[in-house]
Amino acid sequence: MTNDDIDWLRLQKALAVEAEKGFVDLVGKQYRFSEFLCLSFGKPPATLSVEERRRWQEMAMQFAEYHQMTQEERQSLVAAARRCLHLSQQVSEQQHLYALGDIEDKETRRQGGQGSNSSHQPPATSHSSDFPLSSTGVQMCAPTDSRIIQPKTSTLVSTKSSEINQRLAPSLEQPLTRLPEIGARRGEILAKLGLYTVRDVLLYYPRDHINYARQVKICDLEAGETATLVGTVKKCQCFTSPRNAKLSILEIVLKDNTGQIRINYFFAGGRYSHRGWQEQQKRKYPPGAVVAASGLVKESKYGLTLDKPALEVLAHPGDTIDSLTVGRVVPIYPLTEGVGADMVRKAVTTALPSLVHLKDPLPKALRDYYGFVEVREAIANIHFPADTDALELARRRLVFDEFFYLQLGLLQRQYKARQIANSAVLSPSGQLVEKFYQLLPFKLTGAQQRVINDILNDLKKSVPMNRLVQGDVGSGKTVVAVVAILAAIQSGYQGALMAPTEVLAEQHYRKLVGWFNLLHLPVELLTGSTPAAKRRQIHAQLETGELPLLVGTHALIQDKVIFQRLGLVVIDEQHRFGVGQRARLQQKGESPHVLTMTATPIPRTLALTLHGDLDVSQIDELPPGRQKIHTTVLSSKERSHAYELILREVAQGRQAYIVLPLVEESEKLDLKAAVDEFQKLQESIFPQFQVGLLHGRMSSADKDEVINLFRDNQTQILVSTTVIEVGVDVPNATVMLIENAERFGLSQLHQLRGRVGRGAAQSFCLLMGNPKNETARQRLKVLEESQDGFFIAEADMRFRGPGEVLGMRQAGLPDFTLASLIDDQAVLEIAREAAEKVMEKDPTLQRWSLMQAELTYRYQKLMGGTILT
Ligand code: ADP
Ligand code: MG
């Protein structure tokens, strides 16, 4: 490691002479002044720190534009270059002085780490299997000490150089408009992207990168790929289009020893037809000049070409290419009207040196344990990585950060909720629960038993339970909820069970009445259609505590509903309620235990993201004896097969559902479509059977009537919009025909399919539709192959993305910049584990003040500030 490879003196001299001669871009023997400087700064000595090397690269870039600059701009650039050289040279010399000391430093540290129990030398890392966040590890956790976040091997050097850089580089809070490289005008334009300060720019991650690092020969170009080629200019013309005076064309023909290509640039606007401008363009690419060109290869009428490539004139063919766009992995930023890619890239390179001010909030021990790069390196490389490996490491670290702070926030919320220790302590074993087990005509599945144990364990504690039970349709969630409710009642508390629709609430009620009668317990149903007199009676009995359990819809959260002693709240299909509605039911007691249930399982990444503050239990086993539902995807040409099957089944005394999705934008048209279909089916297809119609615009009394007729087999075929998705339970129904199946999510289809297969007979599900493409068809095929709600949800997310899968639930989904809930599950699991470990050591984060500050900042950004409320 010597600094022989850079001729400091020659550089300083060139700068001095250029200044003396009045910034004319002197022509030397081999190069112009600007070319020489560009080349020299383009190859910073290896002894410099990352930040300084970046500063050099930036200098190189600016000298590449030297020929276009005004006198003043040239003057200030030359001055900046002299300053930069001066400081780098100092550092480089100091490095020689410190090299020895650095080695000694490492030696002593190694001895300390080997556990020679010298008391004055705290061990650098603990040797337990988890990452060392122990209280003895204070030195790793005190982020205010800047030495700690420097790489070990060059502690002294980096400290020195970053001291220098900290003086040089603008602060993170510096407004962009105050940076000379950006200025007021560009600063205002960047503000359109929400970029006001240096920090904003550093954290403005590219949404993608294009790899131009691949250098190819002209004969090897292939359309559709991005590539860099180096060739000599054979011809260069710049002219106004003969057909359009407002359009100017720059045409360059490049050749290498394998062929040639023609590259065209089009400039729209009168000012480009100016002769002087056109001549200037031509001068940039004189015949014989060596040019590197990077871009997307595409077909044109002259053969293959590059689409608006970035160009860089090189000194000679073997020269290294040093540019923001040519021959490297180029960042692609989200842009907006009037803000160009070059401007953002320039802003980023201007901001990068300020990374020296950024301290890593993650303790080094944690980073090392999971193999994450330091935050400065990550941010530098997410913008301008040297290669795809560096990019991948940077991305992994920053994705971790996004997940980690979210998990930390969720766990902190959970921690705070658990500080309230005044919930009802419920007795898990007692008369009622025992009696109920005896009443059950079946044996609980292993999964049910396990989940019941989870719940009863929670209820024993004075910390409020907050548990989500996920389980497929028919997995037996109701029984589980009843056990919890009975535990509350036998301990002298009341319970409330809320469902999203009247149909579902009534069904729960009917089931519960049966069991509660046998247990000699009263239970009531409260919905929007409960008559006023009945409602008053219920209100009164709740307030006196006479009524131990109330089942119902949103009607439960009205002000007049007052419980005497609410100990447990159960919410079915919890995702159909808003956060506010759930909270209002909870407020009817003094921090009651909360049990939420859902039959629409979501993939693990989504569950961690949305419900990271809940405990989650899964009923992943169906009661024995359930038949597999025979599922087939049909095109609408095969409609006759579907009708034949329905005919055959109904003729044998079975029943069938035909579900129509919402197709039109307007509810009126939808309704008309459903009514038309119903009439067609009744009159011309199945005149020999009774057909019923169920849709969302009916009053609940009418709905009840239709459902009751179907339940009693008065109607054999039920035509319905998706209102039957939850709550209709008719074991005699064996066919589910779903029209336009491609319009539904897989989980929703799975739910609909769950309406059949409830009895002993073989059931069928027919998914009819015209998927637009092969992917859409493959998606439906998942249902032919699987009956596992978790597997189906996972597949659905891969096909359609997390937002679509969540549907109305996506409101709670954070706005990740880099992280993908589809591809980054492994990093999410690590983030969860790390957050759990941090919480274990110090839930208040007092020990890690930087981390706490970052958490507050991130959480607000990620969740739009909503989740903390
Ligand atoms: P879901 O999870 O969809 O709410 P339910 O609780 O409605 O499912 O249960 C579906 C049906 O299965 C009900 O008729 C219920 O009585 C029955 N069931 C529940 N658990 C078992 C079991 N362990 N063995 C047999 N049948 C069961
Ligand atoms: Mg249920």
Side-chain angles (χ1 to χ4, degrees):
M1 287 237 275
T2 67
N3 56 356
D4 290 345
D5 48 3
I6 184 101
D7 191 343
W8 301 95
L9 203 64
R10 192 159 158 233
L11 267 170
Q12 285 291 13
K13 205 166 153 200
L15 285 160
V17 174
E18 172 75 4
E20 252 169 57
K21 299 283 175 191
F23 312 103
V24 290
D25 202 3
L26 290 165
V27 183
K29 268 204 244 68
Q30 226 183 327
Y31 304 115
R32 281 182 161 270
F33 162 78
S34 58
E35 289 167 345
F36 174 62
L37 267 288
C38 181
L39 287 170
S40 306
F41 274 110
K43 288 180 231 152
T47 48
L48 295 182
S49 69
V50 174
E51 292 83 27
E52 270 173 316
R53 286 212 296 276
R54 224 160 263 293
R55 179 129 195 108
W56 277 53
Q57 297 283 5
E58 190 199 332
M59 281 286 166
M61 220 189 74
Q62 292 187 26
F63 275 109
E65 285 166 15
Y66 191 78
H67 61 277
Q68 298 176 351
M69 290 181 178
T70 63
Q71 188 82 356
E72 284 89 336
E73 286 171 334
R74 289 180 178 193
Q75 187 174 351
S76 83
L77 179 58
V78 168
R82 297 177 80 170
R83 211 163 47 234
C84 172
L85 267 185
H86 180 68
L87 292 168
S88 296
Q89 195 177 359
Q90 271 186 350
V91 173
S92 196
E93 278 162 11
Q94 277 161 354
Q95 164 124 32
H96 282 285
L97 293 176
Y98 282 115
L100 204 62
D102 187 32
I103 293 165
E104 279 169 9
D105 186 52
K106 261 190 286 182
E107 283 303 315
T108 41
R109 208 175 298 199
R110 195 173 306 135
Q111 279 168 15
Q114 272 166 357
S116 67
N117 36 10
S118 51
S119 54
H120 60 279
Q121 191 84 42
T125 55
S126 94
H127 298 281
S128 63
S129 67
D130 74 2
F131 62 78
L133 287 170
S134 60
S135 47
T136 55
V138 185
Q139 84 277 23
M140 295 166 270
C141 319
T144 41
D145 184 347
S146 67
R147 272 175 311 160
I148 282 151
I149 55 174
Q150 300 295 342
K152 242 188 235 170
T153 46
S154 56
T155 304
L156 290 165
V157 175
S158 303
T159 311
K160 282 288 168 197
S161 71
S162 61
E163 267 166 24
I164 289 158
N165 277 325
Q166 280 182 4
R167 263 188 282 127
L168 261 181
S171 81
L172 294 170
E173 312 316 324
Q174 178 84 269
L176 296 175
T177 48
R178 300 253 304 275
L179 300 180
E181 297 91 333
I182 292 178
R185 197 181 56 83
R186 287 194 227 175
E188 267 165 41
I189 297 175
L190 288 165
K192 286 192 191 173
L193 293 174
L195 306 177
Y196 300 97
T197 64
V198 168
R199 183 194 296 273
D200 293 339
V201 172
L202 289 175
L203 299 183
Y204 195 66
Y205 303 148
R207 66 175 155 76
D208 205 354
H209 290 81
I210 299 184
N211 189 2
Y212 288 132
R214 227 169 51 89
Q215 196 172 319
V216 292
K217 290 287 181 193
I218 289 176
C219 70
D220 292 331
L221 291 175
E222 273 186 47
E225 293 185 342
T226 53
T228 295
L229 65 91
V230 174
T232 47
V233 177
K234 187 178 170 197
K235 199 167 88 180
C236 175
Q237 306 184 64
C238 193
F239 54 90
T240 304
S241 161
R243 261 167 281 158
N244 181 351
K246 288 262 166 67
L247 187 70
S248 298
I249 300 165
L250 171 64
E251 184 184 287
I252 303 169
V253 178
L254 289 182
K255 67 174 170 51
D256 66 9
N257 54 9
T258 70
Q260 67 176 41
I261 66 165
R262 184 198 299 243
I263 296 167
N264 282 324
Y265 292 88
F266 299 96
F267 300 91
R271 64 199 161 114
Y272 299 112
S273 42
H274 192 262
R275 265 300 286 283
W277 183 84
Q278 295 184 348
E279 286 304 315
Q280 194 193 348
Q281 292 303 306
K282 277 170 64 179
R283 270 203 305 275
K284 274 170 55 181
Y285 309 104
V290 181
V291 171
S294 279
L296 178 69
V297 185
K298 65 165 196 184
E299 307 266 8
S300 79
K301 59 182 165 180
Y302 309 107
L304 290 182
T305 184
L306 293 174
D307 189 24
K308 294 188 257 22
L311 294 187
E312 179 105 347
V313 180
L314 306 179
H316 55 84
D319 196 9
T320 54
I321 308 164
D322 264 313
S323 145
L324 289 185
T325 44
V326 173
R328 60 179 302 157
V329 183
V330 178
I332 308 297
Y333 293 96
L335 299 172
T336 186
E337 179 82 42
V339 191
D342 289 341
M343 192 184 287
V344 178
R345 287 188 193 125
K346 178 88 199 292
V348 171
T349 46
T350 308
L352 281 175
S354 299
L355 275 177
V356 287
H357 301 302
L358 196 69
K359 296 198 175 102
D360 200 325
L362 290 191
K364 180 166 177 346
L366 188 155
R367 292 195 317 259
D368 288 352
Y369 182 76
Y370 291 116
F372 288 118
V373 297
E374 208 258 352
V375 72
R376 298 180 196 177
E377 187 183 334
I379 292 181
N381 284 342
I382 199 71
H383 290 291
F384 287 101
D387 51 40
T388 47
D389 289 348
L391 174 61
E392 203 31 62
L393 282 175
R395 196 182 165 278
R396 182 168 176 270
R397 161 68 205 256
L398 298 175
V399 165
F400 172 83
D401 281 4
E402 285 190 283
F403 284 145
F404 174 73
Y405 290 106
L406 176 68
Q407 291 304 320
L408 201 54
L410 289 167
L411 289 174
Q412 272 202 338
R413 189 160 70 160
Q414 184 182 57
Y415 172 78
K416 281 178 194 144
R418 285 181 178 165
Q419 296 307 99
I420 314 165
N422 60 348
S423 285
V425 177
L426 305 181
S427 162
S429 53
Q431 276 217 332
L432 287 177
V433 172
E434 296 308 322
K435 266 198 211 157
F436 177 66
Y437 285 145
Q438 284 161 19
L439 287 175
L440 279 180
F442 45 72
K443 206 168 150 287
L444 292 176
T445 63
Q448 280 172 317
Q449 196 62 67
R450 184 167 39 77
V451 174
I452 286 175
N453 286 343
D454 287 347
I455 294 171
L456 293 181
N457 262 329
D458 292 347
L459 296 179
K460 279 193 290 199
K461 298 175 193 151
S462 58
V463 171
M465 169 173 79
N466 200 359
R467 186 171 289 279
L468 170 67
V469 173
Q470 298 195 21
D472 249 330
V473 190
S475 61
K477 292 183 293 296
T478 320
V479 176
V480 170
V482 171
V483 173
I485 291 168
L486 292 176
I489 297 174
Q490 75 190 2
S491 311
Y493 288 87
Q494 291 167 298
L497 169 57
M498 184 162 76
T501 63
E502 290 199 12
V503 174
L504 197 56
E506 272 166 44
Q507 192 180 298
H508 279 309
Y509 174 71
R510 243 191 328 250
K511 222 177 251 174
L512 282 160
V513 163
W515 285 321
F516 271 50
N517 278 343
L518 295 170
L519 295 166
H520 310 294
L521 287 173
V523 50
E524 293 288 359
L525 175 69
L526 184 68
T527 68
S529 24
T530 307
K534 179 75 186 169
R535 191 176 303 205
R536 275 195 297 278
Q537 183 202 331
I538 292 175
H539 289 165
Q541 290 181 345
L542 274 182
E543 238 181 310
T544 60
E546 249 172 284
L547 186 61
L549 174 61
L550 181 62
V551 179
T553 55
H554 305 80
L556 258 57
I557 57 180
Q558 286 163 350
D559 290 340
K560 286 197 182 126
V561 178
I562 298 164
F563 290 83
Q564 192 222 6
R565 230 179 153 210
L566 182 62
L568 172 72
V569 163
V570 181
I571 300 172
D572 197 14
E573 296 302 320
Q574 55 91 22
H575 63 271
R576 296 188 155 229
F577 292 100
V579 178
Q581 289 173 321
R582 283 181 259 167
R584 275 177 70 188
L585 184 56
Q586 282 173 53
Q587 280 153 15
K588 302 220 171 261
E590 268 178 54
S591 26
H593 297 285
V594 178
L595 176 64
T596 48
M597 306 196 290
T598 180
T600 323
I602 52 175
R604 169 140 174 102
T605 53
L606 293 185
L608 270 180
T609 304
L610 288 175
H611 309 306
D613 56 337
L614 302 185
D615 294 306
V616 179
S617 298
Q618 296 183 347
I619 311 186
D620 47 11
E621 182 186 351
L622 291 183
R626 293 280 157 83
Q627 296 243 15
K628 221 172 133 58
I629 299 162
H630 195 283
T631 303
T632 322
V633 178
L634 294 174
S635 77
S636 46
K637 285 197 208 105
E638 298 165 295
R639 180 175 297 279
S640 59
H641 292 314
Y643 289 160
E644 278 161 28
L645 179 74
I646 293 178
L647 192 66
R648 199 186 71 212
E649 286 291 307
V650 178
Q652 288 174 20
R654 310 280 176 216
Q655 290 165 277
Y657 295 100
I658 298 178
V659 176
L660 312 170
L662 300 177
V663 178
E664 303 281 351
E665 287 299 314
S666 111
E667 237 180 294
K668 251 193 189 155
L669 288 177
D670 264 327
L671 187 57
K672 185 176 177 316
V675 172
D676 287 352
E677 182 69 15
F678 160 71
Q679 279 169 355
K680 188 186 87 185
L681 286 164
Q682 176 67 89
E683 283 158 22
S684 20
I685 309 207
F686 300 112
Q688 69 276 45
F689 305 127
Q690 288 301 314
V691 182
L693 174 65
L694 186 68
H695 60 76
R697 295 288 292 268
M698 295 166 109
S699 72
S700 25
D702 289 349
K703 274 187 213 161
D704 277 353
E705 195 183 325
V706 172
I707 291 173
N708 285 334
L709 285 173
F710 189 64
R711 189 177 287 125
D712 300 341
N713 203 356
Q714 306 266 354
T715 50
Q716 291 78 44
I717 297 170
L718 183 60
V719 177
S720 170
T721 58
T722 51
V723 288
I724 61 151
E725 184 190 338
V726 277
V728 179
D729 186 9
V730 180
N732 190 46
T734 53
V735 187
M736 167 63 67
L737 166 60
I738 302 172
E739 299 269 1
N740 296 102
E742 76 278 2
R743 291 171 188 266
F744 293 94
L746 292 187
S747 292
Q748 203 187 357
L749 289 171
H750 178 58
Q751 282 257 353
L752 285 168
R753 174 168 67 178
R755 298 301 110 205
V756 297
R758 307 196 139 219
Q762 171 66 57
S763 291
F764 303 88
C765 175
L766 304 168
L767 302 172
M768 184 124 71
N770 294 308
K772 276 189 284 298
N773 50 44
E774 186 53 26
T775 319
R777 221 175 64 83
Q778 288 302 326
R779 192 172 74 87
L780 289 180
K781 290 265 175 196
V782 170
L783 287 170
E784 283 188 357
E785 280 141 34
S786 175
Q787 312 247 9
D788 174 347
F790 290 95
F791 176 84
I792 290 168
E794 196 80 44
D796 206 16
M797 180 170 77
R798 290 192 173 275
F799 278 110
R800 296 195 308 158
E804 286 288 307
V805 167
L806 288 175
M808 60 199 280
R809 277 180 286 177
Q810 68 176 301
L813 207 59
D815 208 356
F816 296 120
T817 310
L818 295 173
S820 155
L821 290 168
I822 298 177
D823 300 322
D824 295 321
Q825 175 160 1
V827 181
L828 175 57
E829 299 288 353
I830 290 176
R832 174 75 180 188
E833 182 187 285
E836 279 169 0
K837 286 183 178 178
V838 166
M839 288 298 289
E840 253 169 54
K841 302 279 185 210
D842 180 5
T844 60
L845 298 190
Q846 270 165 356
R847 201 186 299 172
W848 300 292
S849 54
L850 272 190
M851 203 192 278
Q852 176 64 63
E854 185 76 11
L855 173 64
T856 312
Y857 171 78
R858 293 255 186 174
Y859 223 70
Q860 246 154 27
K861 217 169 95 174
L862 256 185
M863 313 304 298
T866 50
I867 202 164
L868 282 177
T869 57

